[in-house]
Amino acid sequence: MMWLAGVLAAVAGTVVASYIDIRTKEIPNEITLGMIAAGLALCTVRIYYGLPWFVILPIAFAIFFIWLMWRAGLFGGGDAKLMMGIVLLIPVFSDGTSFIPTFFVMVAVVSSVHYFVFGMIEGARKREHKSAIFVLLPVAVGAAVYILTDFYLRFSSILAVFSFAVVADLMSPFLSCRRKVEVSEDIEGEMLAETVGLREGKVVREMETPSLLMKFFSPHEKMDEIIASPGYLGISKEEIKKLGDFCTHVYIFPSYPMAPLILAALLLSLVFGNVMG
C-alpha cells in the first residue's frame, strides 16, 4: 500500500510539473519540495515498518549524483528537485529491488533520444541533412552490442544501453544543437554554448561541447579576461550587460521543458520494471 502511495504521488506530481513546465518553462518549488518532503516522510514510515535501512545509501548517492548533474549544467534546479522527489517517493520496486538505477537509465535514454530528435529538427531547419547519420549510429551500436552479447551475458540490455549512451554522447557535438541569438535581456537564464573572453584586447570565443565525456579532455584557451562562460544557473544579468559591450550575438543551447522527459522516464521505469537483471 505504501509503495503504491509513493508511485501515485510521484506520477501525479510529475504530471503537474510537466504541464506547468511546458507552459512556463519553470517548475514551482511547491511541487518539488512537497514531493521531497512527502518522500522523506514515506521513507521514514516504510523503514519503521520493515524496509531495510540501507535503502538510505542508494537514495543518498542518487541525490548527490543528481546534484552533480545539475552543477554540470545538464538540467535546471527545478528538474533536479523533481528527480530527487521521485527517488525519495519510489526508492524500490514492489518486489524490493532498487528502482533508482532503472530510473537513471531511462532518464538517460529518453534524454538522448529527445536530444537527437531536437538535433535532427535543427539540422533539417538549417538544411544539414547529413546529421541523420549521427542519430542512426548510436542506435546501430546499441542494437549490435545487444545482439552480440544476448547469448552470453545476463546484463546484455544494460550493456547495450550503456553503449548507446556513450556513442550518443560522443556524437552529440556533430548535431545542430546550438543557436545564434541576439544579446538581450531575453536570454537571461539560458545555457551559454561558448565562453566569451578577451585576449590581447580582442574578443575570443571558445565553443562549449555538449558531450559530457569530451568536457574532461577538451583543452581550454587561455584568456586574459572571461566576459561570460557556461554555468549551471545560465546567463546572468551581469554577464548580459558585459556581453553587450563587446558583441551583438552569442551561441546558446536552447532550453526545453525537461519535466515531460522525466515523466516519460518514470513511466517507462514502472512499465518495464527492474532492467538491471
Side-chain angles (χ1 to χ4, degrees), residues 57-97:
L57 298 179
I59 291 175
F61 174 80
I63 290 175
F64 178 66
F65 183 73
I66 292 169
W67 179 83
L68 285 179
M69 294 300 97
W70 168 59
R71 290 300 298 262
L74 296 185
F75 40 71
D79 305 316
K81 286 179 283 189
L82 179 61
M83 293 176 66
M84 290 177 185
I86 290 172
V87 300
L88 283 166
L89 286 166
I90 319 175
V92 296
F93 286 105
S94 58
D95 61 1
T97 57

Side-chain angles (χ1 to χ4, degrees), residues 192 194-206 208 220-231 235-236 238-247 250:
L192 196 61
E194 61 179 341
T195 297
V196 183
L198 297 175
R199 185 171 61 228
E200 297 179 355
K202 296 182 179 180
V203 175
V204 291
R205 299 170 181 263
E206 179 184 15
E208 177 78 359
H220 295 284
E221 290 189 38
K222 292 184 178 180
M223 300 181 184
D224 299 329
E225 179 186 349
I226 294 178
I227 299 171
S229 61
I235 307 173
S236 65
E238 292 75 16
E239 288 177 322
I240 293 173
K241 185 177 180 181
K242 290 175 65 177
L243 284 168
D245 295 332
F246 295 96
C247 53
V250 291

Side-chain angles (χ1 to χ4, degrees), residues 137-167:
L137 185 59
V139 176
V141 170
V145 169
Y146 180 80
I147 293 171
L148 292 173
T149 60
D150 186 42
F151 295 103
Y152 306 102
L153 299 175
R154 293 180 58 187
F155 51 89
S156 57
S157 58
I158 298 303
L159 190 60
V161 170
F162 178 78
S163 301
F164 169 85
V166 170
V167 177

Side-chain angles (χ1 to χ4, degrees), residues 28 118 145 217 225 246 251 259 270:
F118 177 79
V145 169
F217 303 103
E225 179 186 349
F246 295 96
Y251 285 90
L270 295 173

Side-chain angles (χ1 to χ4, degrees), residues 206-209 211 213-221:
E206 179 184 15
M207 287 296 176
E208 177 78 359
T209 176
S211 168
L213 294 174
M214 290 185 179
K215 287 181 189 290
F216 295 106
F217 303 103
S218 300
H220 295 284
E221 290 189 38

